[in-house]
Amino acid sequence: MRIGLFTALFPALSLDEVIGKIKPLGIETLEFGTGNYPGDPHLKLDWLRAPAKIREFRQKLDDEGITISALSCHGNALHPNRALARAHAETSRKTVLMAEKLGVKTVIDFSGCPGDSDRARYPNWSPAPWPPDFPQLLEWQWEKKALPYWKKHARFARDHGVHFAVEMHPGCLVYNPETLLRLRGEAGATVGCNFDPSHLFWQGIDPSSAVRALGAAIFHVHAKDTRIYQANSRVNGVLDTKPYSDERRRSFLFRTVGYGHGREFWTDLVSTLQLVGYNGTLSIEHEDSLMSSDEGLVKAARFLNEIVIREKLKAMWWA
Amino acid sequence: MRIGLFTALFPALSLDEVIGKIKPLGIETLEFGTGNYPGDPHLKLDWLRAPAKIREFRQKLDDEGITISALSCHGNALHPNRALARAHAETSRKTVLMAEKLGVKTVIDFSGCPGDSDRARYPNWSPAPWPPDFPQLLEWQWEKKALPYWKKHARFARDHGVHFAVEMHPGCLVYNPETLLRLRGEAGATVGCNFDPSHLFWQGIDPSSAVRALGAAIFHVHAKDTRIYQANSRVNGVLDTKPYSDERRRSFLFRTVGYGHGREFWTDLVSTLQLVGYNGTLSIEHEDSLMSSDEGLVKAARFLNEIVIREKLKAMWWA
Amino acid sequence: MRIGLFTALFPALSLDEVIGKIKPLGIETLEFGTGNYPGDPHLKLDWLRAPAKIREFRQKLDDEGITISALSCHGNALHPNRALARAHAETSRKTVLMAEKLGVKTVIDFSGCPGDSDRARYPNWSPAPWPPDFPQLLEWQWEKKALPYWKKHARFARDHGVHFAVEMHPGCLVYNPETLLRLRGEAGATVGCNFDPSHLFWQGIDPSSAVRALGAAIFHVHAKDTRIYQANSRVNGVLDTKPYSDERRRSFLFRTVGYGHGREFWTDLVSTLQLVGYNGTLSIEHEDSLMSSDEGLVKAARFLNEIVIREKLKAMWWA
Amino acid sequence: MRIGLFTALFPALSLDEVIGKIKPLGIETLEFGTGNYPGDPHLKLDWLRAPAKIREFRQKLDDEGITISALSCHGNALHPNRALARAHAETSRKTVLMAEKLGVKTVIDFSGCPGDSDRARYPNWSPAPWPPDFPQLLEWQWEKKALPYWKKHARFARDHGVHFAVEMHPGCLVYNPETLLRLRGEAGATVGCNFDPSHLFWQGIDPSSAVRALGAAIFHVHAKDTRIYQANSRVNGVLDTKPYSDERRRSFLFRTVGYGHGREFWTDLVSTLQLVGYNGTLSIEHEDSLMSSDEGLVKAARFLNEIVIREKLKAMWWA
Amino acid sequence: MRIGLFTALFPALSLDEVIGKIKPLGIETLEFGTGNYPGDPHLKLDWLRAPAKIREFRQKLDDEGITISALSCHGNALHPNRALARAHAETSRKTVLMAEKLGVKTVIDFSGCPGDSDRARYPNWSPAPWPPDFPQLLEWQWEKKALPYWKKHARFARDHGVHFAVEMHPGCLVYNPETLLRLRGEAGATVGCNFDPSHLFWQGIDPSSAVRALGAAIFHVHAKDTRIYQANSRVNGVLDTKPYSDERRRSFLFRTVGYGHGREFWTDLVSTLQLVGYNGTLSIEHEDSLMSSDEGLVKAARFLNEIVIREKLKAMWWA
Amino acid sequence: MRIGLFTALFPALSLDEVIGKIKPLGIETLEFGTGNYPGDPHLKLDWLRAPAKIREFRQKLDDEGITISALSCHGNALHPNRALARAHAETSRKTVLMAEKLGVKTVIDFSGCPGDSDRARYPNWSPAPWPPDFPQLLEWQWEKKALPYWKKHARFARDHGVHFAVEMHPGCLVYNPETLLRLRGEAGATVGCNFDPSHLFWQGIDPSSAVRALGAAIFHVHAKDTRIYQANSRVNGVLDTKPYSDERRRSFLFRTVGYGHGREFWTDLVSTLQLVGYNGTLSIEHEDSLMSSDEGLVKAARFLNEIVIREKLKAMWWA
């Protein structure tokens, strides 16, 4: 395993400045946004028509000894707003092409969330088994919207030697291992997951148990934490729609790794990833409103350096 | 406090048969469905035009020494399907009138859940703070749909001497204390809650903490339990859309009281209700697929008889 | 073991009425107050000068098949108010004589709490190791006040064939096993304890561990429970001086057995008492402000009947 | 499910006396020992040669409306002492024949434990993966001893319409679900388990998780409990070889159901059995040295009556 | 937030030596004792009459880039020994003047603890709601002693531009958030608290919950830890009057930060302080008998440097 | 306390290379294997006949400022294979002599495990109290095999100024504090323990409680961790005989310190060792199959440097 950074954290910095920041922190690999929700501060899909730019970008990283762990274009290609859906899908397609050009294996995206019909205005993510409206709608969303799109999209990626790491995220059809494995079961092994524990904790998921269930379906990992504030969740539960800025009243906040869960959790997560054979990147994503970006990055990198397992033992001498 | 039964459990039995069942079980009060989701097996809103029937119904209960704890018409008056919405609202209005006629103080309903716009097909219940689609939609649902309806509807109830116990339920706008108190804050003290812990556990709510937060807003209580099956929830979390019949794979199931949480939980819940001044009914609702209805009723009634607190102490002699 | 009742619960009832109440509840033995804090509603120390009254009292109980588990005169014979101290000590002495007359083995009392000097106005119970004021004072209280009194008082009891069950109680010098065993170590084996778990929980004591530590020093047991309300104790801790009537804000309340801790706790406590050889009485003391006295008595008796162990196995056949 | 009793508890009572005891306790079925460790106080294998006795025995039970849940002959047919091994195997064979005669489906036995070779004196049960002595020996025990015996023995049972419920028990090769499923995998579906949670708790097994893993392999259930005494196990762990009579120092003791684990545990265990489709017997086995046999039987029966689930729901009306 | 040191830890070192120690440890600010319990090794109140000395002291710190987080004079101005009370009050007054001179905002003190009357010899801190002696006395202590003193004393501080951080401490009237907020409610917002979690843990307080309750009343924070030793507290509880040197038998010991509670606790405490807007000092106080002073200082400083949050995020880009 | 390394971790490295590795890691002392299970890569017992080699070895370490914490020859001198037993015993004897020569106080060994008789083939470690085979055998093993050997062997060690640190290990007669103290009770205070928590966790032992029970019997400590994988142990318990390489299915794995239990556990263990007066070595033993040896060594050393307590406080100034 190695430690990376999702550069969306520093939209205002140049790539050189980002590299300058990570070098002293033991960070060896970068994840770049290419549009949609994360934006594209350091890598432009336009460059697909300007191969020299891509080569230059690649060269700079090679010169610095930095690899690319993934390209990220989290979007909602199933959005009922067709223009938006089309744009997000297009970005995702182009990201596949860019990944191919850069020799990057992994593209990260959301599964997306459709509306309630073709005339809907908003995505409809209603995770309840009753009243029967919800399961009916859900089947329509999967069968008519998600599966057709993803079967085709996954094929496209496979044809270009790239695989999709879908991030399990509330508000999307794929939000837990079961829904991820359903998509993978239908769209094929080109679809796996970007494992970001921060969206799992508050669902009551034990991330290490999820890692065991997902096994080889884990393509990439986000190092991001969440703290559940029981002072609030005891009363109002974990289904919290209040803005992230309402810090004192929210039931959970995204936190820097090590501030939502301690060393014991993270050593176990890293070890369980090792156990199922994952030896890719832990890519730092910082969305902690209680700490500045710079401080968060340093804290996360130091913490991960302390606990990351870089090499598996070759052979046991004691048994 | 006293123990009651929501008769929707026995749609195929006559009222006499229901009374025959509850008499030996220490159940002293009944909650009747009047339509919408619970159905109306024992009390028909049609009787509003046949007052003699109402008197007869009332008389039979009086003769048996049985009171009515509440009338229930859980529906979705905000459903994007207008015909359905109108029918549900109409049932709710008539239930208010029936309650007035029967001298019943409490009508139980859901808050309802609108779609994503006036042209929606399904309710849209998307409890996530991001992407921004969701909070935008949520404000529209509250401001344009829920509040206008409930302000008017609450006024109507108040005019007829009745109050609304809204059941906090996933899939509805009001699903936890915070959303209940928002509705109550806007629609007035005629709106309180039907406290059914079975929808709270899996949200990560501690029901006794919720009782302290709700205090005088608790108008009625459902005695129904939920068990979270960590064998499944550890991997897939609590947002479970699979059908209730998929027992082995589901993350939670509704259970008979005492089968989801033990005596220690229920004595504390009953005591905390006592602490905040609630001295109404614990109305048994049975939706436990692992146990027959008759067995569930007997188990629930015995369990509640063991732990219910019927009278508060008048004065402390020891302090 | 058998189940008893401390009759101080029913000061307004006659002995006959008390007997009428307990008969259907499986209660076989009574604990009587003889003055000081518990009062003396059913047994008067004056009768020491009217032996016929004592015989009559004894006869009535014998006729009903009811035994006496203990006489109780919880007081503060070390109070800095000398008149009060003298009166409490005198009641305690007479209770010993009454116990002898009635053939009762056990007298229950507090250890008492002195002031800070001979000119003090109030007892001084300052359970802190610093500043040095406190340990200095504590040594004076033990050496100059408690030990002289108890050595003499214990001798007096022994001479009359009676032993003292000192209740470990905050506000007294003896409030936990360590202080109880110190007193017993100095005053001799005539001094043991009345084990009332309700004063131990909030000190952070695990009553079963305390039972193992006390072993043969347990002479009598009070069946009384306490619930710690973490909604309050998380913020303000367990050192709560607010009146018991301030129910919503207090960190702990006394509760009927089974309402502070569940079946699992009480079966273990009873089993651990069995393990260390205790086979005396579990005497119900009701001080639960959330439940009427009658309801509390019935609930406690039913609960204890369910879990009490009356007989130890004679011989193991399986090992 | 129904409640039964393993009559080995009352070796000194006649069958009539046993029946007299269970009738008022809601116990409807009996498990009989036929020799080996449990003894054969009420049913003699000799009767195989006296069919009239068997008919008479059967008739008496039928007249009383009592069924037989299982015949039990826990032994060690793999014991290195060949005479003993042969006798235990022979008893097991005859028990199969007796079960066939009585129309009983289930015979309960241990898997047995061989020695370390054919010249051993004692069984060797060494549950450690290192030093390599232990895994080597274990393979020999399974391959050369256990599997040949059980393949043949299971075939014999199948030929007689009987199946084996092997009790997972420390000191035997089969002591946890993994070893049970290994035996079942090799010897076929005629071999399942007698699920006795009392041997699982202290191994760190969660019985409900074990039930999910075993599923249809559960043929019979013992209602017996264990309490782990952390006062001792914190220091010395759960591998406790001290005699069961050394109650104060042991790390665990067998206990009456409800005295090792509370209502919350047992309702969940019973519900999980229901979940996997088990609807057989909960057979009370009493080995609780802290309580007399009669008291233990009554306590266990009352407790199980409170929580047993007798019927599954036919159809869900609410979903 | 920043990391500081309470220099009372090194009474034998000169200020220069102290500065030499802290420089390599990332400690940027100092808290100085000015007398009473902490002593005054580095800053003398006498210097109030020698302004040059004060200027020199200030200058040295400025030159080193070190700030002063607070002046500390923990005492008992309510002590029944009038001479002592007067001396402590006088030290506190002069500390206010010194703080004004040095431009330091915060003076730390105890609330103090009176005796039981004007003729008492020892402070009387009896945190029990019964017998009625205790609440009666408590009211006298607050109304007649504490409030008059603190209203006047707080006014004096306010007049000099200084505020009081009262340390919640057992043995004082103010020992938990409730009592702190009572004092603040009466004496005004000039009185807040010096938040030292080491006195809260064993009271059963969750420090983060206390931080939420205190909010803006937190003026200063001590970085000191406590470990509760359940091996002892399970039996004897947390009310432990044995000397701190009786390490093996005590129920709790003061510990270096990170040795009483782990990283998970401290990251949460620091984050919750951030959440309520505290951005002052975490001042290391070492009273850990298991570790030398130098080792404790280094360990505490390293640990705090790892987890302290120095800057809050300016703006969220992700929501 | 100080940090050491058991050099068996690096059998392929020369002593110089080992020293080169530990120097930058704050490791100051080494434990050397002398044969039996650990092997003897760096120190040969043959050198007993070549004193110059011993002097040279000693000199090299002295020159580097490195001490020897212990010599280790974990074996099974009670093995039923007599040749093997004799060889292991002989190695142990020679290790005593070598320790004497090197001025090393501590020799580490196992207690050993006999077979079931003098004709046994394998050790028999059957930690179960029933059937009676097991306790019978156990007494024979202790009385006839272990005690005679150890009484003599301990005397030999004492005569040479060396003491034995017996490692509590499953598969040996001494596997927990109780069995260790039995051996020490019989063989005398020359026998103490090498405290390796990795063998205790899965037995359900709390290592800090074990440290309190063992006190002065702790002669040496191994810094090695274990993680219990509840995903597996919930179903199959902790008695796991599967090979250590079956990582995904095993109930526990040995882990690098800090990867089985977190900082909170290890600070408490180190503090409790300090509490009972242990101030020797924490000797790193690496058997973590999820991490390479080099990575494990670095992680363990960094972690221990963070938490080890090197010096006890001389005097408390605050109490």
Side-chain angles (χ1 to χ4, degrees), chain B residues 87-298:
Chain B
H88 280 196
E90 186 58 16
T91 298
S92 192
R93 277 177 64 88
K94 285 189 182 156
T95 303
V96 167
L97 298 177
M98 179 62 89
E100 185 181 31
K101 290 273 182 298
L102 284 167
V104 171
K105 179 78 189 163
T106 303
V107 169
I108 296 172
D109 202 341
F110 287 144
S111 64
C113 183
D116 72 353
S117 70
D118 286 327
R119 59 191 190 188
R121 297 192 51 185
Y122 285 101
N124 187 321
W125 179 71
S126 299
W130 188 89
D133 299 299
F134 297 129
Q136 275 168 35
L137 168 58
L138 194 60
E139 269 322 283
W140 178 86
Q141 291 179 317
W142 273 92
E143 293 299 333
K144 299 300 182 197
K145 295 283 157 183
L147 293 179
Y149 172 78
W150 275 102
K151 283 177 182 172
K152 193 171 148 216
H153 201 49
R155 210 155 41 229
F156 175 74
R158 194 167 56 245
D159 292 348
H160 291 273
V162 169
H163 60 199
F164 269 111
V166 171
E167 188 167 324
M168 302 176 290
H169 196 289
C172 300
L173 286 185
V174 167
Y175 61 89
N176 66 4
E178 186 169 62
T179 47
L180 188 288
L181 293 172
R182 180 174 179 188
L183 186 63
R184 181 172 160 95
E186 301 264 9
T190 307
V191 172
C193 93
N194 177 45
F195 189 88
D196 182 338
S198 70
H199 309 302
L200 307 183
F201 296 113
W202 65 263
Q203 294 186 49
I205 294 173
D206 165 46
S208 291
S209 297
V211 166
R212 283 181 181 258
L214 291 165
I218 300 175
F219 290 169
H220 196 261
V221 172
H222 269 180
K224 188 171 148 224
D225 210 341
T226 290
R227 181 153 188 108
I228 295 176
Y229 287 94
Q230 296 213 358
N232 299 319
S233 67
R234 262 191 300 268
V235 173
N236 287 316
V238 294
L239 300 175
D240 191 342
T241 63
K242 294 189 291 298
Y244 287 117
S245 56
D246 195 356
E247 294 161 348
R248 293 194 206 182
R249 293 171 60 234
R250 275 194 59 81
S251 289
F252 66 88
L253 294 174
F254 294 136
R255 301 301 316 271
T256 303
V257 281
Y259 280 77
H261 294 78
R263 200 182 185 286
E264 197 152 356
F265 169 79
W266 284 96
T267 52
D268 185 43
L269 183 66
V270 163
S271 300
T272 308
L273 286 165
Q274 181 79 298
L275 198 82
V276 303
Y278 180 76
N279 67 355
T281 297
L282 308 174
S283 186
I284 296 169
E285 184 182 27
H286 182 85
E287 295 179 354
D288 181 345
S289 64
L290 297 174
M291 214 182 284
S292 76
S293 299
D294 277 336
E295 191 166 17
L297 170 60
V298 172

Side-chain angles (χ1 to χ4, degrees), chain A residues 139-257:
Chain A
E139 269 323 283
W140 178 86
Q141 291 178 317
W142 274 91
E143 294 298 334
K144 299 301 181 197
K145 293 285 154 182
L147 294 180
Y149 171 78
W150 275 103
K151 284 177 182 171
K152 193 170 149 217
H153 202 49
R155 211 154 39 228
F156 175 75
R158 194 168 55 245
D159 292 347
H160 290 274
V162 170
H163 60 197
F164 269 110
V166 171
E167 187 167 324
M168 303 176 290
H169 195 288
C172 300
L173 285 184
V174 168
Y175 60 89
N176 66 5
E178 186 169 60
T179 46
L180 188 287
L181 292 172
R182 180 174 179 187
L183 186 63
R184 179 171 161 95
E186 301 263 9
T190 308
V191 171
C193 93
N194 177 43
F195 190 87
D196 182 338
S198 71
H199 309 303
L200 306 183
F201 296 113
W202 65 264
Q203 294 186 50
I205 294 173
D206 165 47
S208 290
S209 297
V211 166
R212 282 180 182 258
L214 291 165
I218 300 176
F219 290 169
H220 196 262
V221 172
H222 269 180
K224 187 172 148 225
D225 210 341
T226 291
R227 182 152 186 108
I228 295 176
Y229 288 94
Q230 296 214 358
N232 298 320
S233 67
R234 261 191 302 266
V235 173
N236 287 315
V238 294
L239 300 176
D240 191 342
T241 63
K242 294 188 293 297
Y244 288 117
S245 56
D246 194 356
E247 293 160 349
R248 291 193 208 184
R249 293 170 60 232
R250 276 193 59 81
S251 289
F252 66 87
L253 294 175
F254 294 136
R255 302 300 316 272
T256 303
V257 282

Side-chain angles (χ1 to χ4, degrees), chain D residues 6 8 31-41 43 45 70-77 84-85 87-99 106-112 149-150 153 156 162-167 172 194 222 285, chain F residues 130:
Chain D
F6 186 12
E31 170 189 354
F32 291 100
T34 56
N36 293 344
Y37 294 120
D40 61 352
L43 172 60
L45 291 179
L71 303 187
S72 275
C73 56
H74 306 73
N76 185 358
L84 192 154
H88 279 196
E90 186 57 17
T91 299
S92 193
R93 275 177 66 89
K94 285 189 182 157
T95 303
V96 167
L97 299 177
M98 179 61 90
T106 303
V107 169
I108 296 172
D109 203 341
F110 287 143
S111 64
Y149 171 78
W150 275 102
H153 201 49
F156 175 74
V162 170
H163 59 199
F164 269 110
V166 171
E167 188 167 323
C172 300
N194 177 44
H222 269 180
E285 184 182 26
Chain F
W130 188 90

